[in-house]
Structures are given as C-alpha cells and as structure tokens.
C-alpha cells in the first residue's frame, strides 16, 4: 500500500521533463481517484436521488433536484473520467517504456511493490 511505503526512486539519469511527468502523473492519478466518486456523488445528488452504498447505507442527496446542476456535474464527471483514462494510459506507457526500452528496473519496482529489481 502506498500509505505504508514510499515511492520508489527514479533513475538518476532520467531527463528532468520525464521526472516532472512521472511526478505530475502520480499526483493527478490520486486527484482523479478522489474526484471520480465525489463528482459522481454530486451529480446523482443533483438528480434528487440518494445513493445506495452496497446495500449497507444511503448517502443523502445534497441541495435538492436541479437539472442544470445535474447537466453541469455530469459533464464534469465525464471529463474527469476521460482524464483518468488518459492518465492511466500514460502511466502504463511510462511503465512499459521503463521495462522494455530503458530496462532500468522501474517497472520491476512498480510490480514488486517498491522493491527494486534494477540491474547493476
């Protein structure tokens, strides 16, 4: 779990733009993981419906029914989803680049939960 372990170190010879892209992608992935359920909850709330959470309990609708707010939040939820998918593809692409092109151990550290399998 990411809460119990730190992010594996990136190779020291990685260009600055790739270091920035790796860090930005990671932060944006976490943001998307938060924004997806929040925007979905707000969107459904704007329809006036409560949300059944796995049959355990209901989340109440917030603010009452509003077709205008529902439409805006639905569009926002869709854009977050598209961004999330793009970020996932970028993350997978970066991992495969490290594993197949650079062969620098980054992919192995991702797959092994932070334990580096770098070849020295």
């Amino acid at each position: 779990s990411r809460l119990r372990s730190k992010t594996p170190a990136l190779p020291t010879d990685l260009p600055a733009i790739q270091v920035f892209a790796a860090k930005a992608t990671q932060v944006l992935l976490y943001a998307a993981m938060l924004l997806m359920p929040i925007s979905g909850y707000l969107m459904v709330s704007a329809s006036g419906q409560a949300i059944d959470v796995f049959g355990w309990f209901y989340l109440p609708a917030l603010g009452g029914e509003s077709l205008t707010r529902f439409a805006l939040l639905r569009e926002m939820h869709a854009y977050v989803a598209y961004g999330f998918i793009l970020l996932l593809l970028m993350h997978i692409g970066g991992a495969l680049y490290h594993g197949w092109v650079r062969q620098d151990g980054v992919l192995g550290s991702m797959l092994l939960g932070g334990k580096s399998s770098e070849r020295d």
Side-chain angles (χ1 to χ4, degrees):
S1 150
R2 182 58 56 213
L3 295 174
R4 290 182 289 179
S5 65
K6 64 179 189 156
T7 305
L10 292 171
T12 55
D13 65 335
L14 202 61
I17 188 70
Q18 288 182 12
V19 171
F20 173 78
K23 291 180 180 186
T25 300
Q26 185 176 18
V27 168
L28 291 171
L29 276 169
Y30 282 114
M33 284 189 279
L34 288 172
L35 287 174
M36 279 302 298
I38 291 170
S39 64
Y41 174 52
L42 294 174
M43 176 186 70
V44 173
S45 286
S47 73
Q49 299 176 31
I51 297 177
D52 180 5
V53 180
F54 306 114
W56 299 337
F57 60 92
Y58 286 89
L59 293 175
L62 301 174
E65 193 172 341
S66 168
L67 186 58
T68 305
R69 196 171 70 235
F70 175 81
L72 176 69
L73 289 165
R74 182 177 180 199
E75 191 168 341
M76 183 181 92
H77 188 66
Y79 283 126
V80 172
Y82 294 140
F84 200 3
I85 292 167
L86 178 63
L87 288 165
L88 286 171
L89 292 174
M90 289 171 56
H91 192 66
I92 292 167
L96 294 176
Y97 168 75
H98 282 282
W100 292 345
V101 177
R102 286 185 54 105
Q103 298 180 353
D104 56 11
V106 171
L107 177 59
S109 71
M110 293 170 73
L111 295 174
L112 299 172
K115 296 172 183 67
S116 179
S117 63
E118 189 171 336
R119 291 186 270 169
D120 291 321

